[in-house]
Amino acid sequence: MSLRVNALKIAPSDYLVQLRGSGIGAEIQSGGSIVLHRPAPVQILPGFAQGHVSVQDGAAQLAAPLLLSGAGSAQRLRILDACAAPGGKTGHLLELQDCEVTALEVDPVRARRIGENLQRLGLQAKVLTADANAVGDWWDGNLFDAVLLDAPCTASGITRRHPDVLWLRRIGDIAQLALQQKALLQCLWSVLKPGGRLLYCTCSIFQEEGDAQVQTFLANNNNAVLLPSPGHLMPQNGANPQLLNDNQPGDHDGFFYALFEKKSA
Ligand SMILES: C[S@@+](CC[C@H](N)C(=O)[O-])C[C@H]1O[C@@H](n2cnc3c(N)ncnc32)[C@H](O)[C@@H]1O
């Protein structure tokens, strides 16, 4: 179980002291995420109700800093979090930078959880319930400085924590989800301003939901530049030595990240 420490409230090293003082064994990973030695109910985590920490895997914690890196901080950024529920990455963006976030989610029940999570963290976003593909239904016509597309996917990267995923998936899911991802990526590119950045990610280890999407997108959009990105991360148990040289260190799920910049005309 991994925690994200809210930079607005407390430093990871100070939070680690609090955890250990409460008898909860934990370690800090490079990047500042905290891994508990044993999973614990959130109610016993110090400061959880006050928004000092959130439960979030180490690989998922790369999203917000990646999107904000180089995005500039001179003006208050307008950011679209296009597939936002339950709001893990929305909250992280707002913890790291004072920005204006629109959090979009197609499922109304899941959309309510964005508001609940932000309330606990003491943060605010404009939460909209809509299908990101139906741009005319939710977009006000002002281009975004940055877009986060944490796309619906097979979740093949999180099976170490959610083994039920293996039983719930069907053979046709990869192709069907890949089509949805492709459509969302193309559609959301149109609401990004020239010079802006779009971060595409999935918690999947499949090429069809990662590198293959990137290659198709670059072939279809000559105004897209792929910036240095983590690419495919393989799931890894922090207790074991790093098995793949180019994998992110520490304990984390499988994930895919590609950061695009839109060329100015
Ligand atoms: C991987 S989850 C997002 C996790 C979230 N970013 C976080 O960090 O907490 C993908 C979400 O996208 C939503 N979704 C799927 N298709 C969508 C669409 N067309 N428009 C908006 N949201 C969509 C799903 O309901 C789901 O909540």
Side-chain angles (χ1 to χ4, degrees), residues 56 60 81-90 104-107 110-111 117 130-134 148 150-153 180 184 201-203:
Q56 190 178 47
D81 184 356
C83 291
K89 298 179 186 70
T90 315
L104 197 59
E105 168 59 46
V106 74
D107 179 332
R110 285 177 63 80
N117 278 322
D131 179 347
N133 291 299
L148 172 60
D150 186 12
C153 72
Q180 280 185 45
L184 281 165
C201 58
T202 60
C203 58

